[in-house]
Amino acid sequence: MATNIFDKLLAGVETTSAARTHAIARALGEALPPDATLALHGDLGSGKTTFVSGLAKAWNIEGPVTSPTFNLFTIYKGDRMLVHLDAYRLKRAEDMEALMIEEFLKSPWCMAIEWPDNIEDWLPPDTLHLDLAVAGRSSRSIRLRPPHGQ
Ligand SMILES: Nc1ncnc2c1ncn2[C@@H]1O[C@H](COP(=O)(O)OP(=O)(O)OP(=O)(O)O)[C@@H](O)[C@H]1O
Ligand SMILES: [Mg+2]
């Protein structure tokens, strides 16, 4: 029986290339509920931006997904709206409120957030938390935290 992507990520996966990370992210993107927030936890180079680039493929978003560090967030439009936010320079939930990102959201959307701990209080309760880590030169681990309260 094919394991679904949520079970697979809950168990934790090891990817050996950026292309594999793209494929995993794409599979998750295709399985996400209509309006979803993803918190991507992990150190520098753990593959957060690479993951978002894979997500974009799920919704036929063309063009490269690059790090939004200098403009805080980037909005991509495809079959679903993808908002890629880098919270690295944000310090509090109030910083996030000032951005008024909700104003731009049009269902169905996905918000993918790098450095989510900086805006922890702002995150919607149904946020999916993923932990990414460097496991080797071109290997990375990706794991989905169990949903809240489980
Ligand atoms: N298995 C893999 N999965 C993802 N990226 C990989 C993998 N193997 C090698 N890489 C490389 O690791 C780098 C990951 O960079 P990326 O920008 O995605 O990380 P990041 O977590 O967003 O870092 P930052 O915190 O600086 O934004 C890329 O250069 C990518 O090509
Ligand atoms: Mg990044």
Side-chain angles (χ1 to χ4, degrees), residues 89-116:
R89 288 142 168 259
L90 299 180
K91 288 191 178 62
R92 308 174 299 273
E94 294 97 273
D95 290 347
M96 192 59 203
E97 276 147 30
L99 291 178
M100 297 192 295
I101 282 188
E102 295 94 330
E103 304 281 318
F104 304 105
L105 297 177
K106 255 185 146 173
S107 188
W109 50 263
C110 173
M111 190 171 339
I113 306 174
E114 299 192 35
W115 303 100

Side-chain angles (χ1 to χ4, degrees), residues 14-22 40-53 66-69 84 86 88 114-115 132-134 136-142:
E14 190 103 1
T15 114
T16 50
S17 67
R20 282 178 192 257
T21 297
H22 284 159
L40 302 171
H41 302 266
D43 290 337
L44 293 168
S46 58
K48 303 179 295 295
T49 299
T50 304
F51 193 91
V52 179
S53 170
T66 51
S67 175
T69 302
H84 182 196
D86 191 328
Y88 190 75
E114 299 192 35
W115 303 100
L132 290 82
V134 177
R137 200 173 60 84
S138 55
S139 110
R140 306 285 184 272
S141 64
I142 308 174

